[in-house]
Amino acid sequence: MTQDLIRERQAMLAGMTPTLKAGSYHFCTTDAATVPASLLSRSLAIFREDKGTALILSSEDAQAHGFDLSMPMARIVLEVYSALDGVGLTAGVAGALADAGIPCNMVAAYHHDHVFVPEAMAQRAVEILLAVQRDATSLPD
């Protein structure tokens, strides 16, 4: 079965159903020429940048490999099947959180978008995103 992808901003926001996932994550980086295989297989996400390899690791894995643990992040999954060429989901989410003073890092994956916020702000971020979803649902098409 193929899921219909959503491209329109209001429809993406209305259907996003933000879900706070268990766990604590850390954005880490290494300039090692080769990233240990154990990190590749255990990373939630990996991005190769010019200045090193960025990884999103669980707290346990970040600690085990000696990474900085000063910024624990919570992960909120936007449970909408947004198209890769959809316009406005990231802006709507990041803008609403910014208006509330909540920093976020957005990761657009293939099936869903993921919002990382400081762990202490996670519940408030979910409340804000649920309000955005309700507002988008109540707007006329």
Side-chain angles (χ1 to χ4, degrees), residues 51-129:
K51 294 184 179 185
T53 300
L55 308 135
I56 301 175
L57 299 172
S58 69
S59 289
E60 296 78 20
D61 288 331
Q63 182 176 24
H65 288 86
F67 288 109
D68 178 17
L69 302 176
S70 63
M71 179 74 64
M73 305 290 274
R75 177 172 66 122
I76 302 167
V77 179
L78 305 179
E79 302 283 348
V80 62
Y81 288 93
S82 59
L84 293 174
D85 61 351
V87 176
L89 178 63
T90 299
V93 168
L97 293 174
D99 289 346
I102 299 175
C104 73
N105 287 282
M106 301 287 299
V107 175
Y110 188 85
H111 293 287
H112 296 299
D113 293 79
H114 305 260
V115 184
F116 291 85
V117 298
E119 206 168 51
M121 299 177 167
Q123 288 299 329
R124 179 71 182 127
V126 169
E127 292 168 8
I128 290 164
L129 296 179

Side-chain angles (χ1 to χ4, degrees), residues 1-85:
M1 181 173 101
T2 303
Q3 179 70 37
D4 289 329
L5 297 177
I6 301 170
R7 288 179 172 77
E8 194 274 323
R9 178 183 176 152
Q10 183 179 336
M12 287 187 292
L13 292 171
M16 69 180 175
T17 311
T19 305
L20 181 61
K21 297 295 184 175
S24 181
Y25 295 90
H26 295 272
F27 282 70
C28 307
T29 186
T30 180
D31 59 3
T34 59
V35 177
S38 64
L39 289 178
L40 293 177
S41 66
R42 298 181 60 81
S43 297
L44 181 63
I46 301 166
F47 197 90
R48 288 174 182 81
E49 300 180 279
D50 291 342
K51 294 184 179 185
T53 300
L55 308 135
I56 301 175
L57 299 172
S58 69
S59 289
E60 296 78 20
D61 288 331
Q63 182 176 24
H65 288 86
F67 288 109
D68 178 17
L69 302 176
S70 63
M71 179 74 64
M73 305 290 274
R75 177 172 66 122
I76 302 167
V77 179
L78 305 179
E79 302 283 348
V80 62
Y81 288 93
S82 59
L84 293 174
D85 61 351

